[in-house]
Amino acid sequence: KLRSKYRNEPTEIDGHRFDSIAEARRYMDLKRLQDAGEISQLRLQPRYPIVINGIPVCVYVADFSYIGSTGIVVEDVKGVRTAVYRLKNKLMRAVHGIDITEVGR
């Protein structure tokens, strides 16, 4: 069996595939919060196009988004902050005004 580059273990819960056990655990936590009414509109892998001066540059795919007590929250479960992730994080702030909430570090 081949190991993944970052030693994450893909996991499936409720028919959803998660890249890691940590991401699957976070999903279960968020699902409990939604069931308790503490958050709403939980979305898995929401896509955010990054367009600059009318030119599509890339797409950032978050792990989760939801509405919490402070408004919209975009989350990414991180084990390793790659160079690509750090760049997309800055682009999300610059283009969409969204600060990504990192979980798991």
Side-chain angles (χ1 to χ4, degrees), residues 41-89:
Q41 298 181 33
L42 176 61
R43 293 175 52 209
L44 282 65
Q45 298 188 331
R47 301 172 69 80
Y48 296 88
I50 306 292
V51 179
I52 299 173
N53 295 331
I55 300 169
V57 176
C58 61
V59 174
Y60 171 70
V61 181
D63 289 330
F64 308 103
S65 72
Y66 54 89
I67 297 179
S69 60
T70 59
I72 296 175
V73 178
V74 175
E75 275 192 8
D76 209 306
V77 177
K78 283 280 137 229
V80 176
R81 295 180 84 234
T82 65
V84 171
Y85 168 76
R86 290 193 304 272
L87 177 61
K88 286 184 177 184
N89 187 336

Side-chain angles (χ1 to χ4, degrees), residues 23-42:
E23 189 178 329
R25 284 185 184 139
R26 183 60 182 158
Y27 166 71
M28 295 302 293
D29 291 343
L30 292 171
K31 203 169 131 178
R32 279 192 287 277
L33 289 172
Q34 182 165 261
D35 291 345
E38 295 183 39
I39 66 169
S40 63
Q41 298 181 33
L42 176 61

